[in-house]
Amino acid sequence: ALRPVLQDIAQGRSLNDPDLHLLSLAASIDRFAADYAAHIAVEEGELIPMAERWLDAPALARLGEAMRARRAD
């Protein structure tokens, strides 16, 4: 539920809006940051080393580009 709130803020919704519930927003951001850190740890510690063993250089390059493109969305 973090994305819609951040989109509202990006579109100019005031942080003083009582419907925004800043404490809830802060908790959501903290959860997102923790989940993202855990995701990156698994990706870097397990998935990337596995991909490096199983995929050739062109396939790794395509995988990296696909991941970059997804993050840009």
Side-chain angles (χ1 to χ4, degrees):
L2 182 57
R3 183 180 292 256
V5 174
L6 293 178
Q7 287 172 331
D8 284 349
I9 292 169
Q11 293 174 0
R13 185 174 178 188
S14 172
L15 290 176
N16 295 323
D17 185 332
D19 292 330
L20 196 53
H21 304 287
L22 288 180
L23 291 178
S24 177
L25 174 61
S28 294
I29 291 169
D30 287 344
R31 257 190 325 278
F32 174 82
D35 290 348
Y36 189 78
H39 167 86
I40 294 300
V42 169
E43 198 171 86
E44 291 178 351
E46 298 177 31
L47 299 178
I48 291 174
M50 187 184 315
E52 289 171 338
R53 286 192 304 272
W54 291 352
L55 302 175
D56 61 14
L60 282 172
R62 288 191 304 273
L63 177 61
E65 183 56 40
M67 292 171 74
R68 277 188 290 283
R70 193 189 75 215
R71 282 192 306 269
D73 284 341

